[in-house]
Amino acid sequence: MNVEPSNSVSSDTGFTTKEDAAAGLLGAYDAVQSSDYYGLAFPTISDLIAGEITFRGTFTTTYGVIGQNQALPDNIQIGNSWNIIYNAINRVNYLLQETDKITDPTFTAKLSTQAQARALRAFHYMNLLALWGGTPQGYGYTGGLGVPLRLTPTTAIGTETAFIPRATEAEVAAAIRSDLDFAIANLATGTGNRITKSSALALRARFELRMRNYTDALTFAKQVPAVANFATTAPTGTTAPDALWSIFFSNTDQSQYAFYWYPSPGGRDEFNPGSTIAAAHPAGDLRLPINVVTAATSVTVSGAPYTLQPGTTRKYFRTTTRDDAFNVIRYAEVVLTVAEAAAQTGDLTTATTQLNIIRTRAGLAPTTATTAPDLIKDILLQRRLELAYEGVYWYDLRRTNTVQTALPTYTQTFRNLFPIPLREVSLTNGLIAQNPLY
C-alpha cells in the first residue's frame, strides 16, 4: 500500500467522520489540561492575587508579582494563560464548524458533542471575563469591559485572523448564556471528567451569581441533581465525591499542582497556604487539616500511602504520579449558591438550611446568623474554606466588591482587573484596548 507521508492535515478535510469529531472533542478537553490553564496556572494566579496562596519560589517575575498584586502587561504567565484560553476557544470553534458538516446517520453523539463544545466555550469566556473583564466594582455593572469575542474558527491567515476589538461585558455574557442554554438542553445529567447537564447547570448558576442575578442563580442551582449522601459525607481533598466536573490527570498526562506545592523530592516548593487562611477556619473545622497541613501526616488514599508535608495542602499531594484531579465545579458550590442566592432574594429559611448542610459536613454547629447580611457573610466564609485552592475566592471578592476590604493593601482598584497582555495591545495597535491605568 502506498501511503504518502504528511506533516499536517488540511483544515478543510480534518474532520469528516464521527471518529474525527470524537478526537476533536478530546482535543478540546485537552486544552483545559494545559499547565497554563487548569493544569496549574489559571486557578493558581487567581488564588495568589487573593492571598490564599503564598508564593515562596523562583518565578518572581511571573507568579511572584501576581502574588504581590503588581502584575504588568508584560507578565509572561498572564500572556500564556490568555493565549491558551483563546487556543482552547479556537479548538471548540473548529469542532463546532466541522461537526456541522458531518451527515453520517450513525453519528448519534453529534448533539452531545456540540453541547459539550459549547459548554467549554462558555466556560472559557467566563474565565476571560472573570480575570480581565467587568469593572473595578465587580461584574454586571453598566459599562463593564469584555474581551474579544470569537465564535468562528481561525484556520488560515486572512480575514479569519484579522484583529477584532473587545466586545462589551454584556455581549460576552449573552454568548455565554446562549452556549450554556444549548448545553443544558442537549446533555444528560451526571458527573465525571466531561461536562454534563448537571455541570452545565452549575456553571450557569456560578455565572449568574457572579453577575449578581440572584434569582436566575437560584433557579439554575436548584435544577442541579443532588449528589447522593452529600450531606453526610465528610470533606476530603481532590477525591471529593461531590465533584460535578473534574479534570482528569494521569502519570502520563500530569498536572503540576503537587509539583509546585510540595518540597523535594518530587516538588519545587513554590507555594504555601496564605497567611490568613488557617485562622479563618472556626474551631473544630474538619477542613483545616485538608487546607493547611501543619505537620508531617501519613494518609492512605485508594490503598496507597502518602506523607503530607507541613506548609502544604491535602488537595494536591501526589508528587510521584502528579495525577491529582482538579475539581472545576462541585456540588458543595451549588449548595452554597442556593444559600447565597436565597439570602439575597429574601428566603432566609432556605439560605439557613443550605448553609447548615455545609457547616454540618465540616463539623461545625448550625449558623447563629438570623439576618440576610449575617447569613451572606457566613456563606462567603464557607465558600472560601470549602473551595480553597480551587480558584474561586478572588472572584467572590470581585463580585461582592470586597477586594479592598479583604485585602486593604490593595489600594489601586484598577488592579482588580488583570492587565491585557502587552502583545495583544501592541500587535493590534491598540484595537484591543488595555484595561484602564495599566
Side-chain angles (χ1 to χ4, degrees):
M1 180 173 65
N2 251 339
V3 179
E4 185 175 349
S6 174
N7 292 324
S8 62
V9 177
S10 167
S11 61
D12 294 329
T13 59
F15 287 9
T16 58
T17 66
K18 61 183 180 181
E19 290 78 16
D20 292 337
L25 182 59
L26 187 63
Y29 278 105
D30 179 71
V32 185
Q33 292 177 298
S34 166
S35 61
D36 287 319
Y37 203 9
Y38 273 80
L40 177 70
F42 190 84
T44 297
I45 61 180
S46 306
D47 283 330
L48 278 167
I49 193 171
E52 297 298 86
I53 295 175
T54 297
F55 177 78
R56 49 179 280 121
T58 58
F59 293 114
T60 55
T61 60
T62 53
Y63 287 132
V65 292
I66 291 171
Q68 297 167 4
N69 193 28
Q70 291 297 311
L72 295 174
D74 62 354
N75 187 291
I76 293 172
Q77 185 54 66
I78 292 174
N80 288 348
S81 293
W82 171 281
N83 289 340
I84 188 57
I85 297 175
Y86 273 104
N87 177 291
I89 289 169
N90 197 49
R91 293 188 193 192
V92 166
N93 287 342
Y94 184 66
L95 176 61
L96 289 168
Q97 173 184 278
E98 295 303 298
T99 52
D100 264 345
K101 302 175 184 177
I102 300 175
T103 58
D104 181 356
T106 67
F107 184 25
T108 56
K110 182 173 182 175
L111 271 180
S112 172
T113 298
Q114 293 181 329
Q116 289 178 71
R118 290 189 65 172
L120 281 168
R121 185 169 65 184
F123 174 67
H124 301 323
Y125 277 115
M126 284 174 62
N127 290 331
L128 287 167
L129 270 189
L131 205 56
W132 288 280
T135 69
Q137 291 73 38
Y139 309 103
Y141 291 93
T142 300
L145 298 172
V147 294
L149 183 61
R150 291 191 179 273
L151 302 177
T152 56
T154 54
T155 59
I157 295 175
T159 56
E160 290 180 359
T161 56
F163 299 128
I164 59 173
R166 298 171 69 171
T168 65
E169 181 188 32
E171 289 167 336
V172 179
I176 289 168
R177 292 185 176 110
S178 176
D179 279 345
L180 286 177
D181 285 349
F182 183 88
I184 290 165
N186 291 288
L187 291 173
T189 58
T191 62
N193 300 320
R194 299 282 181 103
I195 297 178
T196 65
K197 180 175 182 176
S198 302
S199 48
L201 283 164
L203 287 172
R204 182 69 190 272
R206 173 189 285 182
F207 182 66
E208 298 304 343
L209 190 72
R210 189 175 289 171
M211 298 293 286
R212 301 175 298 111
N213 296 322
Y214 300 114
T215 299
D216 288 344
L218 187 61
T219 297
F220 286 104
K222 281 186 171 181
Q223 294 178 59
V224 179
V227 170
N229 304 315
F230 172 77
T232 57
T233 303
T236 62
T238 55
T239 55
D242 67 314
L244 299 176
W245 173 30
S246 61
I247 299 174
F248 173 79
F249 295 98
S250 70
N251 193 30
T252 56
D253 195 2
Q254 298 178 336
S255 82
Q256 299 295 307
Y257 293 99
F259 181 53
Y260 274 73
W261 270 94
Y262 268 71
S264 62
R268 292 184 57 94
D269 198 17
E270 300 271 336
F271 304 146
N272 270 8
S275 61
T276 64
I277 190 168
H281 292 76
D285 196 322
L286 299 177
R287 295 165 299 194
L288 177 57
I290 295 171
N291 293 336
V292 183
V293 178
T294 57
T297 308
S298 297
V299 297
T300 300
V301 180
S302 301
Y306 294 91
T307 300
L308 308 179
Q309 298 294 333
T312 63
T313 171
R314 188 172 173 172
K315 288 198 172 182
Y316 314 110
F317 59 87
R318 300 172 189 261
T319 55
T320 302
T321 54
R322 301 183 193 170
D323 59 351
D324 292 296
F326 185 88
N327 296 321
V328 178
I329 194 154
R330 295 167 42 209
Y331 187 67
E333 180 180 344
V334 174
V335 173
L336 289 165
T337 296
V338 172
E340 185 178 349
Q344 291 282 7
T345 53
D347 185 354
L348 303 191
T349 300
T350 296
T352 301
T353 299
Q354 297 300 303
L355 170 59
N356 282 336
I357 290 173
I358 299 297
R359 291 182 61 92
T360 300
R361 286 178 79 247
L364 303 176
T367 185
T368 58
T370 57
T371 66
D374 286 345
L375 281 167
I376 292 166
K377 181 180 179 180
D378 195 353
I379 291 164
L380 290 171
L381 172 62
Q382 299 309 314
R383 283 179 62 90
R384 180 186 181 187
L385 304 179
E386 185 71 31
L387 307 173
Y389 318 133
E390 295 176 27
V392 173
Y393 185 52
W394 174 246
Y395 307 111
D396 282 351
L397 295 179
R398 283 207 59 198
R399 69 180 175 83
T400 57
N401 194 20
T402 53
V403 171
Q404 276 62 50
T405 302
L407 303 165
T409 62
Y410 289 11
T411 57
Q412 296 175 307
T413 58
F414 74 90
R415 292 186 180 276
N416 293 355
L417 283 70
F418 266 44
I420 301 295
L422 180 63
R423 182 177 182 274
E424 301 301 311
V425 178
S426 299
L427 287 180
T428 65
N429 292 319
L431 181 65
I432 297 178
Q434 183 56 268
N435 277 331
L437 300 181
Y438 278 104

